Amino acid sequence: MAEIIGGLGTSHVPSICVALDKGIDQTPQWKPFFDGYDYPKQWMKEHKPDIAVVIFNDHGNAMFLDRVPTFTVGVADTYKPSDEGWGPRAIPDFAGAEDLGWHFADKLVERHFDPMIAREITVDHGCQVPMELFFGRPEDAWPVKILPIWVNTVQFPIPTPQRCWDMGRVLREAIESFPGDERVVILGTGGLSHQLQGARAGFLNEQADRDWLATFASDPDKWRSMSREDYVEKFGSEGAELIMWLVMRAAMQQEVTVKHTHYHLPASMTGAGCIVLENA
Ligand code: DHB
Ligand code: FE
């Protein structure tokens, strides 16, 4: 059976792509942020996963406000990076873990979830940034296949934190019942605190971000029992992306070991954090 070898969480701010594309990641402004990813990159090299499940939200690039699925599961054999308006980026396409995608979609429906199933779709910075932060930029092919899972965190009603948690439990069940010996990492993405719009545009909450990173592993019940409105209040309207980390956390065991955390404020307009978890 396939095996979950780790759960990683990270912000997915799009200017991280820009910093990498322009080669300014070692400037005094960016270096402290990128330094936090040396450990996760090394961890990936040592643990050699075959598949990365990437949980993220689309930001109006592959889907728009005319059709807003709450959850989407990718079952494609290839995903092209979305062109977000600046032309194609110099990164390879992503190979899809098609069979695991179908297996997960089927398991979700069996457990009374109703996802959209995507056979042809692009992946935006929500997926591109975590992949590059954790795996570096490959010459010609990414070292893992991906299973992308999109969560609507853009247009209310977004799913509840508890619902994201429940989906993570099904994800674990799907991976552990998948016939194969693939080593799977789960990447929860988004956050930490940020608000890009409205009266509170520019809102950051360092204290809440640090609390998140300090207790996400040991006390996930606290975070999954909060309401969506609590997330918006504490982390900002876009900071509510953090509910996607709960999918990853629920797929991990109750007892986990925190191998690494990092925090940097701000990356663009966001409190930027990452975490690396292993099952204890
Ligand atoms: C920013 C952060 C995000 O998570 C995002 O999707 C877009 C922009 C930002 O801080 O600029
Ligand atoms: Fe985002």
Side-chain angles (χ1 to χ4, degrees):
M1 296 296 126
E3 184 195 357
I4 297 172
I5 61 165
L8 289 81
T10 183
S11 306
H12 63 217
V13 179
S15 57
I16 297 165
C17 291
V18 179
L20 290 163
D21 290 350
K22 291 189 169 172
I24 55 170
D25 51 304
Q26 293 304 307
T27 58
Q29 196 188 6
W30 276 108
K31 189 177 183 312
F33 167 79
F34 282 103
D35 281 352
Y37 290 84
D38 290 346
Y39 179 87
K41 272 207 206 82
Q42 191 55 36
W43 188 94
M44 287 296 188
K45 283 202 180 102
E46 280 165 18
H47 289 79
K48 297 184 179 44
D50 302 299
I51 295 175
V53 178
V54 190
I55 304 136
F56 67 108
N57 63 292
D58 181 73
H59 303 74
N61 292 300
M63 314 170 192
F64 202 56
L65 299 182
D66 51 350
R67 297 177 191 90
V68 186
T70 302
F71 296 121
T72 303
V73 177
V75 296
D77 59 0
T78 315
Y79 302 92
K80 287 198 172 300
S82 309
D83 176 348
E84 301 192 32
W86 294 277
R89 300 186 58 234
I91 59 172
D93 293 353
F94 299 89
E98 203 177 342
D99 293 346
L100 181 60
W102 279 114
H103 181 72
F104 176 51
D106 188 55
K107 193 60 80 181
L108 275 178
V109 172
E110 197 179 314
R111 296 285 175 251
H112 312 295
F113 278 78
D114 312 292
M116 180 165 101
I117 292 167
R119 305 191 71 152
E120 194 183 327
I121 189 166
T122 62
V123 292
D124 77 0
H125 65 265
C127 176
Q128 295 174 32
V129 167
M131 287 296 288
E132 195 162 351
L133 284 173
F134 289 147
F135 294 101
R137 184 173 301 193
E139 294 265 309
D140 31 55
W142 297 93
V144 289
K145 292 184 175 184
I146 65 165
L147 163 50
I149 302 172
W150 290 259
V151 177
N152 166 35
T153 59
V154 168
Q155 172 64 55
F156 265 74
I158 67 174
T160 60
Q162 179 65 45
R163 188 69 170 156
C164 291
W165 179 272
D166 292 344
M167 187 168 73
R169 279 293 151 89
V170 182
L171 177 61
R172 186 206 293 182
E173 192 189 341
I175 293 166
E176 290 181 345
S177 64
F178 184 65
D181 54 8
E182 287 87 348
R183 294 161 61 75
V184 182
V185 279
I186 305 179
L187 314 184
T189 84
L192 285 46
S193 64
H194 62 301
Q195 173 141 348
L196 306 176
Q197 54 177 320
R200 289 206 306 167
F203 172 81
L204 292 165
N205 190 344
E206 178 171 357
Q207 201 185 339
D209 288 346
R210 291 194 182 277
D211 186 27
W212 173 267
L213 287 172
T215 62
F216 175 73
S218 59
D219 192 11
D221 291 351
K222 161 171 142 180
W223 298 110
R224 74 175 157 119
S225 60
M226 276 166 50
S227 72
R228 296 167 293 176
E229 291 77 8
D230 292 337
Y231 271 78
V232 173
E233 196 179 323
K234 227 181 224 302
F235 296 106
S237 53
E238 281 72 32
E241 288 176 343
L242 278 175
I243 61 174
M244 297 184 290
W245 289 39
L246 293 172
V247 181
M248 173 271 277
R249 182 64 189 89
M252 300 293 289
Q253 302 289 341
Q254 181 69 26
E255 298 298 324
V256 291
T257 310
V258 181
K259 303 299 288 186
H260 173 77
T261 59
H262 185 256
Y263 185 65
H264 176 78
L265 178 95
S268 181
M269 289 171 69
T270 298
C274 83
I275 200 163
V276 178
L277 305 179
E278 287 176 12
N279 284 325

